[in-house]
Amino acid sequence: MNATPPSLHSRRSLRDQVEELLPNWQSWYPSLFDAATDLGLLRARVCDLSSLVLSHRHASIYNEAVQAFRNQWSVEEPEAQDAQPESRTQHKRSRASDEPADSVFPDDIL
């Protein structure tokens, strides 16, 4: 076999590398990837499971886009979301005391 440095292998296509090592690979393997795996050209790599979740992988990109939007349109950070439901609840209670008891619409719809 030809002793080619690993840096040159990465520049050639996978098909060229497989055909160099096993010229008639199509008669033995159903796909190029199966042949490359058996020949040791492709190897599985163990990685952290959370790195496979797209929302984790793209979280920094999303955050950068949100920040760029806020900077472009001069949008301020929203206040804590906990305060919003409390004000709605207080508003419902004050409105409920003003309305008659036999209201046609329940408070949840309004």
Side-chain angles (χ1 to χ4, degrees), residues 14 18 25 28-42:
L14 184 62
V18 169
W25 65 269
W28 293 90
Y29 294 98
S31 75
L32 176 65
F33 295 103
D34 291 330
T37 302
D38 281 355
L39 293 171
L41 298 174
L42 292 178

Side-chain angles (χ1 to χ4, degrees), residues 5-110:
S7 62
L8 293 179
H9 276 297
S10 61
R11 293 182 190 158
R12 297 184 354 209
S13 72
L14 184 62
R15 181 177 298 276
D16 291 341
Q17 293 177 43
V18 169
E19 287 179 354
E20 179 184 333
L21 296 173
L22 187 63
N24 294 326
W25 65 269
Q26 288 121 343
S27 63
W28 293 90
Y29 294 98
S31 75
L32 176 65
F33 295 103
D34 291 330
T37 302
D38 281 355
L39 293 171
L41 298 174
L42 292 178
R43 294 186 189 99
R45 186 177 52 169
V46 178
C47 62
D48 185 23
L49 189 59
S50 66
S51 69
L52 300 176
V53 179
L54 287 178
S55 60
H56 292 184
R57 292 171 65 187
H58 300 294
S60 63
I61 296 169
Y62 174 79
N63 290 337
E64 287 176 18
V66 168
Q67 189 59 43
F69 174 83
R70 288 182 179 151
N71 291 343
Q72 180 179 356
W73 298 103
S74 303
V75 176
E76 295 181 12
E77 291 277 334
E79 293 182 17
Q81 294 179 357
D82 297 339
Q84 190 175 13
E86 290 176 15
S87 63
R88 284 184 182 173
T89 306
Q90 291 171 353
H91 182 68
K92 283 182 183 179
R93 286 183 189 148
S94 65
R95 189 176 59 200
S97 63
D98 296 340
E99 293 178 0
D102 58 329
S103 175
V104 177
F105 299 107
D107 288 339
D108 294 338
I109 293 177
L110 298 176

